[in-house]
Amino acid sequence: MEFPDELQYTEDHEWVLVEDDSVTVGITDFAQDALGDVVFVELPDVGEMVELGKPFGVVESVKAVSDIYAPVSGEVIEINAALTDEPEVVNSSPYEDAWMIKIKPSNPEEFNDLLSVDEYRALTEED
Amino acid sequence: MKGIGTSGLILNEKLLFEHSAAGRKGYSLAQLDVPESTPPQELVRDEIPGFPELSEVDVVRHFTRLSTWNYGVDSGFYPLGSCTMKYNPKVNETAARLPGLAQLHPATPQSLAQGALELMHGLQGALAEISGFAALTLQPAAGSHGELTGMLMIRAWHEAQGRPRTKVLIPDTAHGTNPASAAMCGYEVVPIAGTGGVLSAARVAALMDEDVAALMVTNPNTLGLFEAEIREICAVVHARGGLVYCDGANLNALMGIARPADMGIDVMHFNLHKTFATPHGGGGPGSGPVGVTAALEPFLPKPVVVRDADNYRLDDDRPQSIGRMRSCYGNFGIMLRAYAYIREMGGAGLKRASELAVLNANYIRARLEGTFDLPYQGRSLHEVVFSDKNLANDCHTLDLAKRLIDYGYHPPTIYFPLVVHGAIMIEPTETESKEVIDAFCDAMLAIAAEAQDNPALLHAAPVRTKVQRLDETGAARKPKLKWTG
Amino acid sequence: MRYLPQTETDIREMLETIAVDDIEALFSAIPAEVRLQRPLRLPEAMAESELLSELKRLAAANADPDRYLSFLGGGAYNHFIPAVVDQLISRSEFYTAYTPYQPEISQGTLQAIFEYQTLICQLTGMDVANASLYDGASACAEAVLMAVRAARQRRKVLLSGALHPEYRETVRTYCQYLEIELVEVPFGADGITDRERLTELLDAETAAVVVGYPNFFGVVEPLADFAAVAQAAGARLVAAVAEPLALGLFKSPGELGADIVAGEGQSFGIPVSFGGPYLGFFAARDKDVRSMPGRLIGETVDRDGKRGFVLTLATREQHIRREKATSNICSNEGLCALTATVYLALLGKQGLREVAQQNYAKSAYAKEQIAALPNCSLPFAAPTFNEFVVETDAPAAVVLQRLAGERILAGIDLHRYYPQLANRLLVCVTEQNSRAQIDTLVAALAGGAA
């Protein structure tokens, strides 16, 4: 299972890429594997506000459904609309093609709670 | 290979819409005996494109062929756990078609519907005796409709006490309908874990506070285990002002043995299509009457069938009622089948049915537990839950289920309850003979051996059905929910 | 007992295998304090012959359908059921199966319900239909819940006062603890929902408007108007159809702009059976499919590429999403959906139109004859399908009782549902009522003036 070093992670199995003005969010390889074949992704609209730890979207396989939680608070500035037609890329390319939303963070202090790759890997090995 | 499955001649059959030929029909209509009349043209629709056009013979062959692709209780053993797939007596089907019952319009004046009302009243009385509850409604159309009815009554009772409360406790072994029904009453759901497969009064006490409106239990629970601390649990909930709801899905273990109301339960729904032998219909119609204690009686949905001396009537004047759950009075056609079943079995017969249902489940357990993993060891009642842990060579519950089809059986309930990984939930019911159960157990054991010696057989199964291992992922990604030509 | 096959020998052998002495030992987990210490107090078991006699006795205590003329409707309709319908739904491969969880051995049910979903879409003019709900009233309540869910923030729903009263009551029951505000829109002197009041009541909080089509008075409502005003305010229009045979003749709700169609399918081959089991049908637009309640059957292929059908989009449902499910429904009305499919397949394109046409023509004839009576009038001028309201010169209850004495079940007393309407009854005329029967009704109504 692959966990890129340059990313940060959450306990709810989201990955987070922190850049200058935005935070990109998706779900990890571990999460997609646990769900199985993804059949549907529901994302918020651009302009909606998301809140740390609260669900902002849903990812579904045939027999499971999982909320996606916001790793930081802020405004949704971009969504990956291609996932609506091609949810399968969540399985094939969780870190690249299947990025889900970009957030303009409102509270950079929240970044301190994100997990490093080593912390996240340890978490997945516990499960 | 043992088992009763073989491959017969399977006929193909197109969709209705693909059979059509312009001008065909399968219906005859008497000549119009009044003057022609048509509505204003702007209200009239055009011909419906693609609507089927078939002769009577086409229609009969179509559905007859479709029926042969199905497996029912009349085809063979159907040990679908939690669903109580017992035999459906044929005389009840005849009874439901008596013109005085089938053709009775619900708006018929009550004085001209006394037979139907008497039957409903009689069924209420019988269910009250079997469960111990003071009052009943027959209105709900299915089990989960009964749950919603019961939970609305619980909420209405709390509202009447002046405090609606906010939470409902639900064990992790519960059917998904339980939390879904609680949510439809505006309640927050708090999951509660069991210990060794059952609830403990201590754990309930730890979660119980003045915000908890109710605990929803299933007894016996979905592991087939009796909630032995049920009296203490009810006492704990009552002490903090809460009520206890029971999902009656598993009542088939208890008829004449123990009564839910005597355990301290306040509200329970029955599944007439499970315990009382009415057909499951390929997914309904069911019927989900709800029994309640005297304290909750004022909140029953209206109308309620009551008896005044020799007259039966529908009582609509019930100011504290939660209201109406549906049109009319409930699934009368299902009630009458259940009533017929109860009359044909009698009290002793019902008790015997529960005893034999429990005997059959324990016999299956005894024959299979040396081979299959049994995650919860408590004494089984009407059903037994194994896991796929002991299956060799990457064979899982789904593979076992599909392989059972090749042997000629409907698979058990799989992957439920959620607390058992790879659950295999077997409920034989009392209407199966020892020979049938032995043959099924032989098939289960043979499949376990196949998993060891030739796992490809499991992974490839089923091989004798019309279609095999359908692409559910594709169906969900690009839903095609109707014929479009 | 013929349903209990175990012999004493079987039982003994099974107990040996289980390694217990007797059946009683199997119940050891049940504490003695909750055991029932006496036999159940139920009547003795009956033989099959005795049982049939008892049920025939009960049936005979009801109105004999061969001796009473019936003009009862109001949500349950007396239509002719071809013999084929009962023959086919009595195939026990259909009726003794359960929910098609194992698609390989349930293709019969699955394909039939896929055909049912298609037929409902064709009739209603909608994009997608589910595999059934309980009945028209509960389907209407589910439609309201779905509209509120899909509208996200809006919590107000307008119900036409001419919507079937039992549907309104059911909606109220379902919504009572969900912080949904229900507001009733009055109907006008013509029996149509008051468009002006509706427009006034619509606001930015309104999630849905629910209108009967036809409404409780049999009136064919101008649905397109209501769809336009509702949607202009950002609300969904729910059309509730209690008599779907009307859709064989009148424009479909989908064509007129409805967002959700919920209704009662009993008219399609299902006996009136004192109120159930019936068939809740439910159809919506593609955009709302993931908010829909109930099961959905989808087409797919098997591993060899052969066409087949499966339960799909199940993540909406209670067994997966639990308290966040779109509904708590599990068992639906599968066999009734099959019944409707067989019935509609028999009628076909032409038969459906002809039966609907006859209902309209016979009802029109009855209206004309009744309107000509000195003691009766038709208070609502709007077009109707197969039922209509009659105003008499005496309380409806009195009229109905008198006619029942002449073995005519002439209709439904509207006073029961509308306290302001004391002298009005709802009369239904279908293809089952001959001209002679209608003439008998008219003559009997006229007798009231004497």
Side-chain angles (χ1 to χ4, degrees):
Chain A
M1 212 155 284
E2 195 190 331
F3 304 116
D5 291 342
E6 68 274 23
L7 300 178
Q8 291 177 283
Y9 299 87
T10 70
E11 286 179 4
D12 300 311
H13 307 289
E14 286 87 20
W15 58 260
V16 182
L17 175 66
V18 180
E19 291 171 302
D20 292 345
D21 298 324
S22 78
V23 168
T24 308
V25 185
I27 67 167
T28 66
D29 200 14
F30 181 86
Q32 71 79 19
D33 185 67
L35 272 167
D37 293 337
V38 171
V39 299
F40 180 66
V41 179
E42 184 183 308
L43 298 175
D45 293 330
V46 170
E48 276 185 42
M49 301 303 289
V50 297
E51 198 182 326
L52 171 67
K54 295 275 169 68
F56 69 77
V58 171
V59 54
E60 296 183 6
S61 62
V62 172
K63 288 189 174 136
V65 53
S66 179
D67 283 330
I68 322 166
Y69 296 91
V72 297
S73 306
E75 182 188 345
V76 178
I77 52 174
E78 204 177 332
I79 62 165
N80 186 356
L83 294 181
T84 313
D85 288 330
E86 290 180 284
E88 54 271 28
V89 302
V90 175
N91 297 116
S92 59
S93 176
Y95 299 111
E96 314 239 326
D97 297 346
W99 68 272
M100 289 176 176
I101 62 169
K102 292 187 180 177
I103 300 170
K104 185 180 170 193
S106 57
N107 181 5
E109 275 181 29
E110 291 170 354
F111 296 169
N112 300 336
D113 295 334
L114 295 172
L115 306 178
S116 70
V117 67
D118 292 335
E119 288 169 323
Y120 181 67
R121 185 174 284 118
L123 182 86
T124 61
E125 280 157 11
E126 270 169 38
D127 279 0
Chain B
M1 171 179 160
K2 289 182 185 169
I4 56 171
T6 180
S7 28
L9 179 62
I10 301 172
L11 300 177
N12 276 321
E13 178 62 15
K14 298 186 280 195
L15 288 164
L16 277 175
F17 314 94
E18 296 161 346
H19 264 298
S20 289
R24 275 197 192 130
K25 62 178 167 181
Y27 183 88
S28 65
L29 187 61
Q31 281 290 329
L32 185 64
D33 56 1
V34 299
E36 288 272 5
S37 176
T38 47
Q41 200 49 43
E42 68 274 14
L43 301 180
V44 175
R45 79 185 292 173
D46 296 333
E47 182 173 272
I48 305 175
F51 208 77
E53 294 180 88
L54 288 82
S55 71
E56 180 170 320
V57 186
D58 295 333
V59 173
V60 169
R61 288 218 174 111
H62 177 80
F63 289 102
T64 303
R65 287 180 183 177
L66 260 55
S67 75
T68 65
W69 305 341
N70 258 17
Y71 188 103
V73 172
D74 286 1
S75 314
F77 189 45
Y78 207 129
L80 195 64
S82 231
C83 296
T84 315
M85 302 300 290
K86 62 172 77 174
Y87 172 71
N88 310 129
K90 302 306 157 195
V91 60
N92 300 353
E93 297 305 307
T94 302
R97 288 162 171 81
L98 291 172
L101 301 171
Q103 294 175 35
L104 183 65
H105 192 283
T108 305
Q110 291 173 34
S111 60
L112 295 172
Q114 286 294 301
L117 294 172
E118 181 185 340
L119 188 152
M120 290 168 72
H121 194 263
L123 178 60
Q124 284 178 188
L127 295 177
E129 167 63 10
I130 292 164
S131 61
F133 289 107
L136 271 110
T137 174
L138 301 174
Q139 207 175 93
S144 64
H145 204 215
E147 286 175 23
L148 176 59
T149 305
M151 292 306 292
L152 286 169
M153 292 170 69
I154 285 177
R155 171 109 192 208
W157 182 85
H158 281 296
E159 300 266 346
Q161 314 300 305
R163 274 204 61 197
R165 306 194 171 207
T166 56
K167 298 186 293 191
V168 172
L169 304 181
I170 301 181
D172 49 12
T173 49
H175 296 113
T177 50
N178 290 185
S181 300
M184 287 174 80
C185 301
Y187 284 124
E188 180 195 338
V189 172
V190 180
I192 171 167
T195 315
V198 292
L199 284 175
S200 77
R203 190 173 288 248
V204 173
L207 286 169
M208 194 62 213
D209 61 30
E210 259 80 66
D211 286 329
V212 174
L215 165 72
M216 293 181 87
V217 296
T218 306
N219 200 16
N221 67 25
T222 59
L223 292 163
L225 306 178
F226 192 81
E227 294 289 358
E229 292 188 28
I230 187 69
R231 288 220 317 170
E232 295 77 4
I233 289 168
C234 291
V236 161
V237 174
H238 291 154
R240 303 297 295 268
L243 297 175
V244 180
Y245 184 91
C246 182
D247 179 330
N250 296 338
L251 188 65
N252 206 43
L254 298 180
M255 291 185 292
I257 308 283
R259 308 197 307 172
D262 298 342
M263 301 171 198
I265 285 158
D266 299 284
V267 188
M268 184 190 80
H269 79 263
F270 301 77
N271 296 85
L272 299 188
H273 48 293
K274 296 180 181 176
T275 319
F276 297 95
T278 76
H280 284 72
S287 176
V290 177
V292 296
T293 55
L296 284 146
E297 200 256 340
F299 304 98
L300 288 172
K302 45 183 190 181
V304 175
V305 183
V306 295
R307 178 181 182 170
D308 306 325
D310 286 335
N311 181 51
Y312 298 92
R313 66 181 175 85
L314 291 159
D315 180 16
D316 237 328
D317 182 20
R318 304 182 64 85
Q320 286 190 287
S321 166
I322 56 165
R324 165 181 281 291
M325 294 301 296
R326 52 164 296 162
S327 58
C328 309
Y329 327 113
N331 282 348
F332 177 76
I334 306 302
M335 297 172 206
L336 87 84
R337 288 170 172 89
Y339 179 77
Y341 174 73
I342 291 169
R343 296 301 306 268
E344 215 181 354
M345 297 294 281
L350 292 175
K351 181 175 184 190
R352 194 63 178 160
S354 284
E355 287 175 343
L356 294 176
V358 170
L359 175 72
N360 283 355
N362 277 283
Y363 181 64
I364 289 177
R365 172 174 166 167
R367 285 215 50 199
L368 299 183
E369 71 181 316
T371 304
F372 288 88
D373 172 55
L374 184 73
Y376 293 94
Q377 300 292 326
R379 171 59 77 192
S380 297
L381 284 173
H382 66 298
E383 66 193 355
V384 55
V385 181
F386 295 103
S387 88
D388 61 0
K389 204 169 111 191
N390 295 350
L391 280 181
N393 292 318
D394 203 32
C395 291
H396 299 287
T397 293
L398 185 72
D399 305 307
L400 168 86
K402 297 302 182 194
R403 188 64 180 150
L404 270 171
I405 293 173
D406 283 335
Y407 276 81
Y409 298 101
H410 194 288
T413 292
I414 55 175
Y415 300 108
F416 183 82
L418 305 175
V419 294
V420 174
H421 189 80
I424 303 162
M425 183 195 215
I426 303 172
E427 181 183 11
T429 84
E430 71 280 8
T431 59
E432 300 299 333
S433 68
K434 179 169 181 292
E435 289 94 318
V436 168
I437 291 174
D438 274 329
F440 169 77
C441 291
D442 292 344
M444 287 285 286
L445 297 171
I447 294 169
E450 286 174 351
Q452 196 71 251
D453 304 335
N454 192 357
L457 288 173
L458 276 78
H459 292 129
V463 294
R464 290 169 161 178
T465 47
K466 180 171 180 291
V467 288
Q468 295 148 8
R469 300 259 181 160
L470 291 136
D471 178 8
E472 297 187 32
T473 304
R477 277 185 182 153
K478 300 270 181 289
K480 185 170 184 214
L481 306 174
K482 65 178 178 188
W483 173 82
T484 49
Chain C
M1 212 300 137
R2 69 187 196 281
Y3 311 139
L4 304 176
Q6 289 338 355
T7 64
E8 287 308 316
T9 313
D10 292 335
I11 292 170
R12 207 172 47 244
E13 287 173 11
M14 293 166 83
L15 290 170
E16 270 168 34
T17 306
I18 300 167
V20 292
D21 293 336
D22 54 21
I23 288 179
E24 182 54 35
L26 301 174
F27 292 94
S28 59
I30 305 181
E33 316 86 77
V34 301
R35 288 293 302 267
L36 184 64
Q37 307 294 352
R38 59 166 176 81
L40 286 172
R41 293 186 187 120
L42 292 173
E44 286 295 301
M46 283 177 156
E48 183 170 353
S49 54
E50 294 169 313
L51 176 69
L52 272 176
S53 303
E54 168 63 3
L55 289 159
K56 283 179 183 163
R57 178 188 71 79
L58 291 169
N62 298 325
D64 180 345
D66 290 332
R67 292 176 63 205
Y68 278 81
L69 296 189
S70 175
F71 298 90
L72 300 175
Y77 299 93
N78 174 26
H79 294 298
F80 181 73
I81 303 174
V84 168
V85 174
D86 199 42
Q87 291 277 323
L88 288 175
I89 66 163
S90 297
R91 296 277 310 189
S92 65
E93 298 92 330
F94 283 132
Y95 81 79
T96 72
Y98 202 13
T99 304
Y101 294 122
Q102 294 289 341
E104 286 93 344
I105 47 172
S106 310
Q107 284 297 305
T109 294
L110 286 162
Q111 179 168 329
I113 302 301
F114 181 81
E115 292 171 345
Y116 163 81
Q117 290 175 182
T118 306
L119 289 165
I120 295 297
C121 289
Q122 291 176 331
L123 278 170
T124 57
M126 302 298 284
D127 300 332
V128 50
N130 76 10
S132 74
L133 299 173
Y134 307 131
D135 76 332
S138 60
C140 187
E142 291 276 14
V144 166
L145 297 184
M146 178 175 126
V148 170
R149 196 158 56 234
R152 291 176 182 216
Q153 305 302 325
R154 297 168 175 237
R155 309 293 298 180
K156 181 168 141 186
V157 174
L158 306 183
L159 301 179
S160 161
L163 174 66
H164 194 303
E166 293 186 352
Y167 290 29
R168 275 182 283 136
E169 282 180 54
T170 305
V171 169
R172 210 165 283 128
T173 307
Y174 269 63
C175 293
Q176 61 191 314
Y177 300 125
L178 297 176
E179 287 162 25
I180 295 169
E181 185 194 354
L182 300 173
V183 181
E184 220 155 280
V185 187
F187 54 87
D190 49 4
I192 292 175
T193 305
D194 188 332
R195 186 177 184 280
E196 235 168 83
R197 282 296 292 146
L198 173 66
T199 313
E200 286 165 20
L201 288 165
L202 270 165
D203 60 20
E205 294 305 307
T206 310
V209 175
V210 189
V211 179
Y213 183 79
N215 71 23
F216 188 60
F217 308 128
V219 166
V220 182
E221 295 257 14
L223 218 51
D225 283 0
F226 300 141
V229 291
Q231 287 153 6
R236 282 174 171 75
L237 181 77
V238 177
V241 181
E243 170 47 303
L245 189 66
L247 304 184
L249 182 59
F250 290 95
K251 282 192 169 146
S252 72
E255 197 178 345
L256 299 173
D259 297 283
I260 304 172
V261 182
E264 175 53 69
Q266 175 272 326
S267 283
F268 297 149
I270 299 164
V272 285
S273 193
F274 204 51
Y278 288 173
L279 168 64
F281 66 83
F282 192 100
R285 300 288 181 188
D286 273 333
K287 67 172 159 54
D288 287 334
V289 65
R290 284 175 191 275
S291 291
M292 280 176 77
R295 297 211 158 94
L296 291 166
I297 311 298
E299 184 182 315
T300 187
V301 290
D302 79 349
R303 64 173 163 217
D304 299 324
K306 274 190 288 189
R307 176 165 73 183
F309 302 90
V310 291
L311 292 167
T312 194
L313 302 185
T315 48
R316 300 164 297 110
E317 294 181 61
Q318 45 76 25
H319 58 101
I320 295 177
R321 209 179 286 238
R322 298 176 80 88
E323 67 270 22
K324 290 182 182 164
T326 55
S327 168
N328 69 336
I329 192 166
C330 184
S331 281
N332 49 34
E333 304 286 304
L335 195 70
C336 299
L338 174 72
T339 308
T341 309
V342 176
Y343 177 86
L344 290 169
L346 287 168
L347 261 64
K349 191 186 275 186
Q350 278 188 28
L352 178 71
R353 174 60 69 111
E354 287 166 11
V355 176
Q357 190 80 54
Q358 277 214 5
N359 275 256
Y360 181 83
K362 295 202 177 208
S363 167
Y365 172 76
K367 278 170 84 170
E368 200 182 295
Q369 301 297 309
I370 291 169
L373 296 176
N375 60 331
C376 292
S377 63
L378 305 177
F380 297 145
T384 56
F385 174 54
N386 65 0
E387 56 191 329
F388 52 91
V389 174
V390 173
E391 177 139 18
T392 62
D393 59 356
V398 174
V399 175
L400 290 174
Q401 197 176 7
R402 181 173 61 78
L403 268 66
E406 300 175 37
R407 296 222 172 88
I408 302 170
L409 306 177
I412 293 171
D413 180 3
L414 288 182
H415 184 250
R416 202 179 127 196
Y417 300 112
Y418 299 93
Q420 75 274 27
L421 305 180
N423 288 8
R424 291 186 185 184
L425 56 142
L426 182 66
V427 177
C428 176
V429 183
T430 74
E431 81 282 4
Q432 294 277 69
N433 298 113
S434 66
R435 180 178 190 147
Q437 290 184 359
I438 298 168
D439 292 343
T440 304
L441 168 71
V442 174
L445 280 169

